[in-house]
Amino acid sequence: MMSRGATRVARSVIGHMGPRYFSSPGKIFAGGATAFLHDNPSKATENAVVTCFRFQSVGLRNASTLALGGEKKVGEDEKEVKSGGATSAAAESGNGNKVIVSYWGVEAPKLTKEDGTEWKWNCFRPCETYKADMAIDLEKKHVPVTFLDKMAFWTVKALRWPTDIFFQRRYGCRAMMLETVAAVPGMVGGLLLHCKSLRRFEHSGGWIKALLEEAENERMHLMTFMEVSQPKWYERALVFAVQGVFFNAYFLAYLLSPKLAHRIVGYLEEEAIHSYTEFLKELDKGTIENVPAPAIAIDYWRLPPNSTLRDVVMVVRADEAHHRDVNHFASDIHYQGHELKEATAPIGYH
C-alpha cells in the first residue's frame, strides 16, 4: 500500500502531463491511475481500457477525416486535369482544325524551311534533312574469307530466295516491305550498345547514335515508299511475322557475335543495292511508271521540286551503300580485336 505522499506526487505529475499529451482522455487516464494507486485495480483496468479505446477512436477518426480530405483534393485535381484535357480536345483553330493544347506547357516549335515557308512534317525536322552523296562506289563488295563471313554471306543469299519468289518484279512493294525489316538491325545494335554503355559506365564512341541514325534513315525509306505503294492485308500480316522473327534472331546474333551481326547487315545492304538497281532498270524500261516524287522525299533529301520516283530510288540506293560501308567497317573493327568505342563512329555518314 502506497503512502499518501507518493499518491499526491503521482496525481500531481499525471495532472500536469495529462492535458498536454492526452487532451480530454487524459482525465480518464488520470482517474484510472488514481484508482490503481488507491488499490482498486479492477476500476483502473476498466478506465484504462476505455481510455485506449478512445485514443484509437480519435486516431481513426482523425485519419479518416484526413483521408477524406485528401481524396477530395485529389478528386478536384483530377477533375481539373480532365477538364483541361477536355478543353484541349475541344479547342479548335479558326479554320476548323483541332488544335492540341498542352496542359503541361509542352508546345511544339513552329518550324520553317530555308525559304521561310511552313514546315509541315512532324516526323523529322529541317536540321535532319540532307543531300545524298551520289558519288559513292556502288560496286564495292566484301569478299567472304572467314567461316563467319561465309556463314553471313550464305544466310543472306538464302533469305533472298523466298523474297524473289514472293515479290517477283513488284519492286515498289518489295522496297516498302523490306524496309520494315531493314530498320531493325540499327535499332537493335544501338539498344544493346546503349545498355552496354550503362553497365560498364563508359562511352560508346558515338556508335549508339550512328546505329540509331541508320535505323531512322531506313524508317524514312519506308515512310517514302508508303506514298508510292500501299501494302495489302496479307502483306501487313507478313510484316508482323517476319519482323518478329528477324528482331529476335538478330538480337541473339548480336549478343553472341557482333562481328557476325554487322557482317550480315553489310551483305543485306549489298543485296538492297542490287534490288534498287533492278528497280531503276524497270523504271527506265517503262514497266513501272515514273511518277512524281512524294513530297516527304523532296523535303527529306532536299530534292528539286520536279523530282520523280527515279530520283528517289537513286538517293535511297546511295543510302544503302553508306549503310553497307558502316556495317562492314564495324565488323572489321571486331575482327581486328578491337571494340567499336575505340574507333570514331561515322555519325552523319549519308
Side-chain angles (χ1 to χ4, degrees):
M1 185 173 182
M2 299 183 66
S3 64
R4 290 181 178 273
T7 303
R8 289 177 181 176
V9 171
R11 183 181 299 175
S12 176
V13 171
I14 295 175
H16 283 84
M17 294 177 61
R20 178 177 299 179
Y21 294 103
F22 305 106
S23 186
S24 58
K27 296 180 180 179
I28 300 176
F29 184 85
T34 305
F36 183 84
L37 294 175
H38 281 86
D39 298 331
N40 195 351
S42 61
K43 186 175 181 181
T45 305
E46 180 181 355
N47 288 336
V49 171
V50 173
T51 302
C52 292
F53 180 77
R54 289 190 63 184
F55 285 158
Q56 292 176 358
S57 299
V58 171
L60 290 173
R61 182 177 179 182
N62 290 339
S64 62
T65 304
L66 292 174
L68 289 174
E71 289 177 359
K72 182 178 180 182
K73 185 175 181 180
V74 171
E76 291 175 354
D77 292 342
E78 290 178 352
K79 184 177 180 181
E80 183 179 352
V81 172
K82 289 180 180 178
S83 64
T87 304
S88 302
E92 295 186 359
S93 62
N95 57 7
N97 296 327
K98 290 185 177 180
V99 178
I100 299 176
V101 181
S102 174
Y103 171 79
W104 309 106
V106 179
E107 296 182 1
K110 293 183 179 180
L111 304 175
T112 58
K113 297 182 182 180
E114 294 178 353
D115 57 3
T117 58
E118 183 181 0
W119 184 260
K120 61 180 180 179
W121 311 106
N122 58 7
C123 55
F124 65 100
R125 297 190 173 191
C127 61
E128 298 171 352
T129 63
Y130 63 96
K131 286 184 175 292
D133 177 19
M134 306 300 293
I136 190 169
D137 186 1
L138 300 173
E139 302 299 327
K140 188 186 300 182
K141 296 182 183 296
H142 181 273
V143 179
V145 177
T146 66
F147 171 76
L148 286 181
D149 283 352
K150 294 178 180 179
M151 180 179 176
F153 180 81
W154 289 110
T155 298
V156 173
K157 289 296 184 182
L159 292 175
R160 181 181 172 180
W161 176 71
T163 305
D164 290 340
I165 294 176
F166 184 82
F167 293 107
Q168 297 181 359
R169 293 193 174 276
R170 295 182 297 133
Y171 288 103
C173 184
R174 179 189 185 119
M176 178 189 60
M177 298 297 292
L178 292 182
E179 294 296 350
T180 63
V181 176
V184 171
M187 184 60 65
V188 171
L191 167 66
L192 291 176
L193 288 181
H194 176 76
C195 293
K196 181 179 179 181
S197 175
L198 297 178
R199 288 195 309 271
R200 296 189 176 183
F201 303 92
E202 63 184 16
H203 293 285
S204 68
W207 279 93
I208 296 174
K209 186 173 183 179
L211 294 179
L212 293 182
E213 276 185 353
E214 176 186 317
E216 174 64 12
N217 183 249
E218 297 284 11
R219 191 186 66 85
M220 288 305 300
H221 294 175
L222 173 63
M223 297 297 105
T224 298
F225 285 113
M226 281 176 55
E227 302 294 326
V228 178
S229 177
Q230 290 295 322
K232 299 178 175 60
W233 68 268
Y234 58 86
E235 291 172 337
R236 291 178 179 271
L238 182 64
V239 169
F240 274 90
V242 174
Q243 191 182 76
V245 172
F246 183 75
F247 179 93
N248 290 283
Y250 189 79
F251 186 91
L252 291 175
Y254 205 100
L255 284 176
L256 296 175
S257 177
K259 59 185 175 185
L260 171 64
H262 282 294
R263 190 69 80 199
I264 289 175
V265 178
Y267 287 132
L268 282 173
E269 300 296 355
E270 291 182 10
E271 293 297 328
I273 295 171
H274 172 76
S275 296
Y276 284 117
T277 301
E278 295 297 316
F279 195 168
L280 289 172
K281 291 179 180 178
E282 296 298 321
L283 285 169
D284 293 338
K285 291 190 298 184
T287 307
I288 300 176
E289 184 181 0
N290 190 22
V291 297
I296 190 172
I298 292 176
D299 286 340
Y300 184 69
W301 283 284
R302 301 179 186 175
L303 297 174
N306 59 345
S307 298
T308 62
L309 178 59
R310 190 181 193 282
D311 299 316
V312 174
V313 175
M314 291 280 289
V315 295
V316 170
R317 184 177 63 170
D319 285 347
E320 305 295 2
H322 286 83
H323 300 329
R324 171 204 63 192
D325 294 351
V326 170
N327 282 277
H328 280 315
F329 174 53
S331 183
D332 289 344
I333 293 173
H334 285 289
Y335 266 108
Q336 295 170 18
H338 301 287
E339 293 189 14
L340 293 182
K341 65 177 183 178
E342 300 176 36
T344 303
I347 298 175
Y349 180 69
H350 295 296

